[in-house]
Amino acid sequence: MFKRIQDSFVEFVSVKPLRSAFRFFLSGLFIYFLVCLPAQLFKVPYSSVITDEKGTVLSARIASDGQWRFPSSGKVSEKFKTCIVQFEDKNFDYHPGVDLLAMSRAFTQNISKRKIVSGGSTITMQVIRLARKKTDRSYFEKFIEMIWAGRLTLTNSKDEVLSLYATHAPFGSNIVGIEAAAWRYFGRSPELLSWAENATLAVLPNAPSLIYPGRNQQKLLNKRNRLLQKLNEKKIIDDETYQLAIAEQLPEKAFSIPRAAPHLLDRSIELNGEGQRVKTTLNADLQRQITDLVNAHSFILSGNEIHNAAAIVIEINSGKIISYVGNCVKTSGEDHGNDVDVIIAPRSTGSLLKPFLYSSMLNDGVILPNTLVPDIPTQIGGFTPQNFNLTYDGAVPAKRALSRSLNIPCVRMLQQYGLEKFYDRLKKFGMTTFNRPASDYGMSLILGGGEGKLIEMAGAYAAMARTLKKYNSTGNYFENEFRLPVFISKEKNEKQIISGQSFVNAASVYLTFEAMAEVSRPDIEASWQRLGSGQKIAWKTGTSFGFRDGWAIGLNTDYVVAVWVGNADGEGRPGLTGISAAAPLLFRIFGVLPKTNNWFTVPLNDMKKIEVCKNSGYRASVNCAEKIMQLVPKNSENTTACPFHKIIQLDLSGKFRVNGNCVAPSEMQQQAWFVLPPAIEYYFKSKNAFYNSLPPYKKGCEPTGGKSMEMIYPRANAKIFVPLEMSGEQGKTVFELAHRIPASTVFWDLDGIYLGTTNQFHQMSLNPEKGAHVLTLSDENGEMLTIPFEVISEKKKNANE
């Protein structure tokens, strides 16, 4: 029989025209074989997926065609590979894409049954059928699949072919691919599935519309168990594993696809487009823990109608984001803007910029850590800052102004440093949201008059810490430290050493962190600080005007944690402050991070010991009575010398001041005295028991000049607003004076009209009419003070603020 067929074929091809046609056919077939595969085998939309640093899926979005089809991860678990090969194509590792023995067996079965009962397709051929989207099972289509399968095998490894199958095989309903199926049916990644679970998934593509978890359970169970039995018989799994596997239950309902970082997924799609698998720098376990903390904290705050919260954690050394919670989940059926990614949303910064100002002033040699800064009623143009507790200390050390987040001293510091200069410095810190001229923000910039992004401010704090750590380890500064934190895994670029100093030196950073770690605010309850597990943490809170935003940013030597709470629509709420609403969450997050008992090393090579006035915190002058040695940034040795210690003349008893016009030089003694301006002294002495006011002059020794009085409110040339009472009548405003000798009698005169006198407490309630006025004050010694001011209407007042 075979000999007859052979002879007929030889006779056929021996005919010249037929031989030429046959050669032409073979040539054409060969060319088709070479060019048949398209450049992109599968032209289908994919789900958008982000994974953590180890490849674990964090969040995904369904593909545009309504299918859960994950982009290929490039790998297939060994268990699934074993199961699918044993079930679908036992010779997969050996054939060239087509299994001729299987094809012959299928052909024989189909002939004998007179219908198609077996296809004989290999996994490679099934990949081709999925790519071509052909549903008919004709012999011609099978022939095309064979050609394409051979071509695919020629240019792709077996692992690559299997990966294509695992990515595009149907698994029932709208689930395509092993990874989507593993998450949908078992709630975890394919690498973590058991033998039973892999066997279940291996049998699904064979009839995905017929067999689906939750339906046809017995049929699915039988197919799974037959496959497990086959694995056991072939000694792929032992008897104990087999018994445990067949005892496992089938999934009865679908799991939700992970949504551990939905806002970061949105950012990834915005940056990379849809249908991409993006490996991020996040840690999946940490992300879930912190998401739970944010959601739980938000649920508590929702009782006060505060519905949104966000948090970000940055690894300092690498600058990588390891947790990104752009907003909390909905706490009710209502929409409270939970889809808004607050981490990248511009919001009023509150007090979070104060450490940047403090470090900049230290860096530029403008202040020292303990330099006294005025804390008295202040009006700059139409801007009148107030401390949160509405009190005044007269003057406070600069580092205490930062640790207590006092508004007035920080505004005074900004005024001293320069608004334009600080505005430019903020841009170097990485702030991109200040897009108006500095004058538009004014002095309120330091108190939240501008908007910032949580990710940029957290990144700036991380960059400061990284600058300090790298200087301590290398003695050098590196470029590009102040950059946006990264969330996409990519190769690290080496940083080039800068010749000279960074724009903020290591010493200034260290002293700033020390001040931030020495928080001593009276409104803090220390109980929740223990949630940070006793670690030393430098931290800062902020509250925006109108209680719309609560911020908290903290750091140790390894991590920066940044938290925001509030309402996405900007609605303010009583009690929405950084200290009460955001800081507890900050310390809870530190509680789940890896612990560290280390603190930043003192950058001694970037510091120098100088003599500092103990009382004023300025560089010691020759008149300072008490001096201490203090480590300060190297370039601080030329800061302003103490202006408050003066040499005064006293009588021999030391109780009265005298001068050469009233006593002989032999009856005088000189002494250095710590003397603050009257307005500062007025508040300072009540908070600082060590302060001694100047002794009174001895009778007959009163000077003809000198300054004993200073106006606290209003300041000269100020524009003030006198409010209306509930009755509609004009109210009164308290005018206040500081006198170095409070017991002195002061005479008050407004526009030439005598108003009365004050003694001890120099305050008077006045209701001057709208317009320009002149207040004249004089004391019993004849010292006179003239204060011009203007009363403005409510409308004009608002225009100037």
Side-chain angles (χ1 to χ4, degrees):
M1 176 70 178
F2 178 76
K3 181 75 166 84
R4 235 181 5 253
I5 295 174
Q6 184 181 26
D7 292 341
S8 299
F9 179 77
V10 171
E11 182 180 353
F12 171 78
V13 298
S14 65
V15 180
K16 188 173 182 180
L18 294 178
R19 185 167 63 246
S20 298
F22 184 67
R23 288 174 178 172
F24 181 78
F25 171 75
L26 289 180
S27 300
L29 188 62
F30 180 70
I31 293 172
Y32 178 72
F33 175 80
L34 293 177
V35 302
C36 62
L37 287 184
Q40 182 181 349
L41 186 59
F42 285 90
K43 296 180 180 179
V44 292
Y46 295 95
S47 301
S48 300
V49 178
I50 58 171
T51 71
D52 80 339
E53 59 184 350
K54 296 180 180 178
T56 302
V57 173
L58 293 170
S59 286
R61 180 178 297 174
I62 198 166
S64 59
D65 62 353
Q67 304 292 307
W68 284 110
R69 185 189 297 107
F70 288 11
S72 175
S73 64
K75 57 183 179 180
V76 179
S77 71
E78 284 299 320
K79 287 182 180 178
F80 180 75
K81 177 181 178 180
T82 301
C83 289
I84 196 66
V85 167
Q86 290 300 317
F87 184 75
E88 290 282 3
D89 186 2
K90 62 181 180 181
N91 295 319
F92 173 74
D93 290 324
Y94 310 106
H95 61 64
V98 178
D99 190 342
L100 294 178
L101 291 176
M103 291 291 293
S104 299
R105 183 173 59 251
F107 180 77
T108 302
Q109 291 175 348
N110 294 338
I111 292 296
S112 64
K113 299 291 184 180
R114 296 186 177 181
K115 62 179 181 179
I116 297 177
V117 295
S118 176
S121 294
T122 62
I123 289 176
T124 314
M125 293 172 66
Q126 292 183 51
V127 169
I128 297 303
R129 187 189 314 127
L130 292 170
R132 286 171 55 79
K133 299 181 180 179
K134 298 294 184 179
T135 57
D136 62 299
R137 303 181 69 182
S138 65
Y139 287 108
F140 176 75
E141 182 60 33
K142 186 70 66 175
F143 179 67
I144 296 298
E145 288 176 8
M146 292 170 64
I147 295 175
W148 282 40
R151 179 67 177 83
L152 184 65
T153 304
L154 185 65
T155 54
N156 291 268
S157 68
K158 291 292 184 179
D159 286 342
E160 289 171 336
V161 172
L162 193 61
S163 178
L164 285 171
Y165 176 83
T167 301
H168 299 93
F171 285 85
S173 185
N174 66 338
I175 309 301
V176 178
I178 179 64
E179 192 170 13
W183 283 106
R184 191 67 169 153
Y185 297 143
F186 300 105
R188 53 187 180 274
S189 65
E191 294 78 12
L192 300 178
L193 298 183
S194 66
W195 278 107
E197 291 165 341
N198 274 289
T200 302
L201 294 181
V203 303
L204 274 179
N206 185 256
S209 60
L210 178 63
I211 304 172
Y212 174 76
R215 304 199 304 259
N216 304 310
Q217 291 289 83
Q218 191 58 48
K219 192 171 184 178
L220 177 60
L221 183 66
N222 292 339
K223 295 196 75 169
R224 183 202 73 174
N225 288 347
R226 283 198 297 271
L227 175 56
L228 289 170
Q229 184 179 6
K230 185 176 183 180
L231 296 177
N232 179 240
E233 290 172 351
K234 291 194 170 186
K235 306 301 181 182
I236 295 173
I237 59 175
D238 58 32
D239 292 341
E240 182 180 2
T241 303
Y242 169 67
Q243 293 298 328
L244 291 172
I246 62 174
E248 287 188 30
Q249 299 294 316
L250 291 175
E252 296 184 356
K253 60 180 182 179
F255 289 82
S256 297
I257 297 294
R259 281 181 53 84
H263 301 91
L264 191 60
L265 175 62
D266 291 340
R267 284 201 65 198
S268 175
I269 293 174
E270 181 182 349
L271 295 173
N272 303 289
E274 294 186 346
Q276 302 296 316
R277 171 186 290 270
V278 176
K279 185 178 181 181
T280 74
T281 58
L282 270 60
N283 178 300
D285 292 335
L286 196 60
Q287 175 71 8
R288 292 187 178 91
Q289 289 185 71
I290 294 176
T291 297
D292 290 343
L293 288 175
V294 171
N295 290 335
H297 188 71
S298 180
F299 179 77
I300 295 172
L301 294 179
S302 65
N304 187 28
E305 297 297 323
I306 302 171
H307 298 290
N308 303 103
I312 185 172
V313 181
I314 300 171
E315 187 180 69
I316 289 173
N317 288 343
S318 65
K320 296 178 180 178
I321 298 170
I322 60 173
S323 180
Y324 187 108
V325 184
N327 209 323
C328 57
V329 299
K330 293 181 181 179
T331 55
S332 66
E334 299 180 31
D335 183 8
H336 294 291
N338 300 89
D339 292 333
V340 175
D341 186 353
V342 183
I343 288 177
I344 58 173
R347 309 284 300 198
S348 171
T349 61
S351 297
L352 290 185
L353 305 183
K354 291 175 180 176
F356 301 153
L357 174 62
Y358 179 76
S359 62
S360 296
M361 296 183 76
L362 288 173
N363 181 84
D364 295 357
V366 180
I367 59 169
L368 301 179
N370 289 316
T371 297
L372 285 181
V373 183
D375 181 22
I376 59 176
T378 298
Q379 186 174 25
I380 302 173
F383 178 54
T384 306
Q386 296 286 340
N387 290 328
F388 188 79
N389 57 11
L390 302 179
T391 61
Y392 309 99
D393 284 4
V396 294
K399 71 175 185 180
R400 193 171 301 166
L402 175 59
S403 63
R404 292 177 57 192
S405 197
L406 296 174
N407 291 337
I408 293 174
C410 288
V411 170
R412 291 274 190 154
M413 289 165 66
L414 177 57
Q415 186 181 34
Q416 181 184 5
Y417 187 67
L419 176 61
E420 290 280 355
K421 188 176 181 181
F422 183 58
Y423 177 83
D424 292 337
R425 184 59 59 91
L426 287 175
K427 292 187 175 181
K428 289 185 178 180
F429 273 108
M431 306 289 288
T432 64
T433 49
F434 300 120
N435 47 27
R436 293 182 284 135
S439 57
D440 283 6
Y441 299 101
M443 292 296 158
S444 67
L445 178 64
I446 196 64
L447 306 183
E451 295 181 330
K453 297 178 181 179
L454 188 63
I455 189 172
E456 291 181 351
M457 290 184 285
Y461 282 102
M464 291 172 69
R466 194 162 49 247
T467 296
L468 173 56
K469 293 183 71 174
K470 287 189 175 181
Y471 179 85
N472 280 332
S473 61
T474 68
N476 296 309
Y477 293 101
F478 297 80
E479 67 178 352
N480 297 328
E481 290 298 353
F482 287 82
R483 61 187 187 274
L484 199 64
V486 297
F487 71 88
I488 298 177
S489 292
K490 55 185 177 181
E491 292 186 6
K492 182 179 178 183
N493 295 320
E494 293 298 326
K495 306 300 181 298
Q496 299 298 316
I497 297 176
I498 297 175
S499 58
Q501 295 280 327
S502 166
F503 75 88
V504 57
N505 58 45
S508 302
V509 172
Y510 176 80
L511 293 171
T512 300
F513 290 167
E514 282 289 294
M516 292 169 63
E518 295 174 4
V519 176
S520 56
R521 292 173 58 177
D523 53 342
I524 291 178
E525 295 181 8
S527 58
W528 49 257
Q529 292 190 51
R530 289 193 291 272
L531 292 169
S533 304
Q535 305 173 71
K536 187 172 182 179
I537 296 172
W539 57 293
K540 184 76 191 72
T541 61
T543 305
S544 67
F545 178 78
F547 302 101
R548 294 180 174 89
D549 305 272
W551 305 86
I553 295 184
L555 58 92
N556 57 22
T557 54
D558 296 328
Y559 304 103
V560 168
V561 177
V563 168
W564 173 91
V565 297
N567 288 309
D569 62 3
E571 179 187 357
R573 296 297 303 169
L576 204 175
T577 65
I579 196 69
S580 63
L585 177 58
L586 175 86
F587 282 92
R588 288 189 179 99
I589 292 174
F590 269 113
V592 302
L593 292 175
K595 305 298 182 294
T596 177
N597 295 318
N598 299 323
W599 187 241
F600 297 99
T601 304
V602 183
L604 294 175
N605 291 336
D606 199 35
M607 304 182 81
K608 183 177 183 178
K609 274 192 174 184
I610 65 170
E611 283 190 333
V612 174
C613 177
K614 182 180 179 181
N615 292 332
S616 71
Y618 280 82
R619 181 171 60 84
S621 69
V622 293
N623 296 330
C624 290
E626 295 183 79
K627 304 174 183 178
I628 58 174
M629 299 300 295
Q630 187 178 51
L631 273 173
V632 299
K634 278 184 177 179
N635 59 342
S636 297
E637 57 185 335
N638 295 320
T639 55
T640 303
C642 176
F644 299 129
H645 274 91
K646 305 180 184 300
I647 300 298
I648 63 172
Q649 285 77 37
L650 300 174
D651 64 5
L652 295 180
S653 70
K655 296 180 179 180
F656 297 98
R657 278 186 288 169
V658 295
N659 55 57
N661 296 325
C662 61
V663 297
S666 59
E667 296 178 354
M668 291 190 300
Q669 59 172 323
Q670 288 189 335
Q671 187 171 335
W673 204 277
F674 182 47
V675 183
L676 293 174
I680 295 178
E681 179 187 86
Y682 176 74
Y683 295 100
F684 186 86
K685 63 185 179 182
S686 64
K687 301 291 181 70
N688 297 273
F690 77 88
Y691 186 79
N692 294 316
S693 297
L694 282 169
Y697 280 100
K698 191 172 185 178
K699 190 172 183 179
C701 292
E702 295 84 358
T704 55
K707 184 179 180 182
S708 297
M709 296 189 296
E710 185 175 355
M711 199 68 191
I712 296 175
Y713 184 82
R715 308 293 286 184
N717 301 311
K719 295 179 180 180
I720 67 172
F721 169 70
V722 179
L724 297 178
E725 301 289 352
M726 293 293 292
S727 62
E729 298 179 356
Q730 185 170 331
K732 293 186 177 182
T733 297
V734 176
F735 286 55
E736 189 171 11
L737 172 78
H739 199 292
R740 201 174 293 283
I741 305 174
S744 299
T745 299
V746 176
F747 302 88
W748 295 64
D749 180 287
L750 181 63
D751 299 331
I753 301 175
Y754 174 70
L755 301 177
T757 63
T758 55
N759 187 274
Q760 290 291 345
F761 299 102
H762 301 288
Q763 297 176 343
M764 188 171 288
S765 296
L766 304 176
N767 59 346
E769 296 179 350
K770 176 184 174 183
H773 300 274
V774 176
L775 177 67
T776 305
L777 305 110
S778 58
D779 66 3
E780 58 195 26
N781 295 319
E783 183 177 342
M784 185 174 292
L785 195 62
T786 300
I787 306 294
F789 66 94
E790 180 185 357
V791 176
I792 60 176
S793 65
E794 182 174 3
K795 182 176 181 181
K796 186 175 180 182
K797 177 249 182 186
N798 289 335
N800 280 274
E801 285 190 344

